[in-house]
Structure formats: C-alpha cells, structure tokens
Amino acid sequence: MKVYGYFRSSASYRLRIALNLKGLAPDQAFVHLRRAEQRAPDYLALNPEGLVPALVTDDGQVLTQSLAIIEWLDERFPLPRLLPEDADGRVRVRSIALAIACDIHPIDNLRVLAYLRDRLGLDQAARDAWYAHWVTEGLTALETRLARDPATGRFCHGDAPTLADICLVPQLANAARMGCPLDAYPTLTRIAAAADTLPAFAAAAPGRQPDAE
C-alpha cells in the first residue's frame, strides 16, 4: 500500500493513527498543501478531489476520504477494532467522529481559510475569529456530550481507542496550533492526553513526520 498525505493535515493525521494502531507501515508520498501540490495534474489524476489523504491499495485501488479509508482498514485488518462490536457502540463512535470530521474540521481547513483570505478579503484577525468561533462551537458541544455520558471512559468510548479518538486528537492538536484555548474542555483534553501516551498516536504527530517543517 501507499499513502499520500501531508504532515499537518488533520485527515492525514487520522489515517496515520489508524495505520499505526493496525501495525501497518505503507509507503509514503508527500503532498505539500501550502505549495498547492494537491492541485498538480499528476495528483489530480490519482485523486480528482485534490485532497489528502489518499491510499493506493496493494491491488491498485485508490481510496479517498479519511473516515472511509479507516473503516476499510478496520474491515481488512480487524484487530484491534476501531469500531465497537455492538450496533449501539458503533453508532455512538461514528456520531462523535462525524461531529468532528464533518461539522468542525471542514469549516476550518486550509482551503476554506484560503478562500476567506483570497476571495473574500478577510484579514488574519478575521480569519482567526472565524476559526475560533466554529472550533469553540463544535468542541463545546462535544465536551458537554462526552462529560455527561457514562459510555465515555478513558477514551471517547470506553477504555480502548476508537475511530472517535482518532478524529479527536488531530482536531485538538490543530486547535492548539491555531492558538485556541482548550481549558474549557477538560474531558476532551484528558482523553487526548491518554491517547498521546500510546505509541500509535505519538508516532503519528505532525512534528514526527518525514515531511514536517
């Protein structure tokens, strides 16, 4: 297998965590988002979405969208499980993961912030305010939900990492990098701290990647 990614991409970060948890080490190719390499013809031929990550399977299939790739990995390489065995557990984990990956992350990713700058003419302060607003709204709801739910354990769901934690850790790391205070989210930061003690999470951190700058 071969993975196309970028060290600072939250979606690539998710996939790195999942691969590490599964004990998989595919070949890597680096797509520098700030140099617009994702819009290069050769990469668009591989992935017309122009996003990372993309995973090329051992039989040449090109998979895109981090959550879809991670669920594929969970079916192909079932241990350790990244989704609970029971339907109620699976829907809870997916709901938490999607709250992050669909409701928080896309509004604040690089191409949105670049559009606010280049097409709408917003200055840095206005873009930072945009980012902080949507991150705060999303993380506040998630903190409330996890803090009061008895299904929350050491991790988002019980005491083993799941797809929910795979999404949470990169989002909190991104928020911290952007200067968003995290003190209002003790449950989320506790979970992320627990996850970061695991080698699979620690090794996936952006600063530890070969293309880190």
Side-chain angles (χ1 to χ4, degrees):
M1 295 189 295
K2 185 173 185 177
V3 170
Y4 291 77
Y6 179 58
F7 78 104
R8 200 173 277 157
S9 157
S10 296
S12 296
Y13 191 173
R14 294 172 201 150
L15 181 55
R16 292 194 300 265
I17 295 168
L19 288 165
N20 291 345
L21 286 168
K22 298 292 186 181
L24 300 171
D27 293 337
Q28 295 187 69
F30 305 114
V31 181
H32 199 298
L33 301 187
R34 292 193 175 275
R35 297 175 188 157
E37 292 178 359
Q38 72 276 22
R39 309 306 303 173
D42 58 344
Y43 187 69
L44 288 175
L46 180 79
N47 178 9
E49 297 168 16
L51 300 171
V52 293
L55 183 147
V56 181
T57 68
D58 47 15
D59 61 359
Q61 186 179 182
V62 179
L63 307 182
T64 63
Q65 294 294 332
S66 62
L67 269 62
I69 299 171
I70 292 167
E71 291 215 29
W72 178 85
L73 288 171
D74 213 32
E75 293 176 9
R76 278 286 305 272
F77 307 94
L79 295 176
R81 295 184 65 95
L82 303 180
L83 286 166
E85 295 186 12
D86 62 297
D88 289 348
R90 285 196 300 276
V91 73
R92 182 175 182 270
V93 166
R94 285 190 176 111
S95 175
I96 296 166
L98 290 170
I100 298 166
C102 296
D103 293 341
I104 304 174
H105 172 246
I107 301 172
D108 286 323
N109 78 358
L110 180 63
R111 62 179 179 168
V112 171
L113 297 176
Y115 185 89
L116 295 176
R117 179 193 64 208
D118 300 335
R119 299 297 296 274
L120 300 185
L122 298 188
D123 62 16
Q124 186 67 55
R127 298 196 306 275
D128 289 348
W130 167 284
Y131 182 99
H133 171 80
W134 294 114
V135 164
T136 299
E137 186 167 293
L139 293 183
T140 297
L142 198 58
E143 171 68 26
T144 301
R145 177 180 179 182
L146 294 186
R148 70 187 184 190
D149 192 337
T152 304
R154 185 180 181 215
F155 296 101
C156 288
H157 188 78
D159 295 323
T162 65
L163 179 62
D165 308 285
I166 287 170
C167 290
L168 175 65
V169 167
Q171 189 61 58
L172 288 185
N174 190 281
R177 183 175 64 84
M178 295 294 287
C180 294
L182 300 179
D183 296 344
Y185 318 118
T187 306
L188 304 184
T189 54
R190 172 187 62 75
I191 291 168
D196 283 335
T197 66
L198 302 179
F201 282 80
R208 300 186 66 177
Q209 304 317 302
D211 60 328
E213 297 175 342

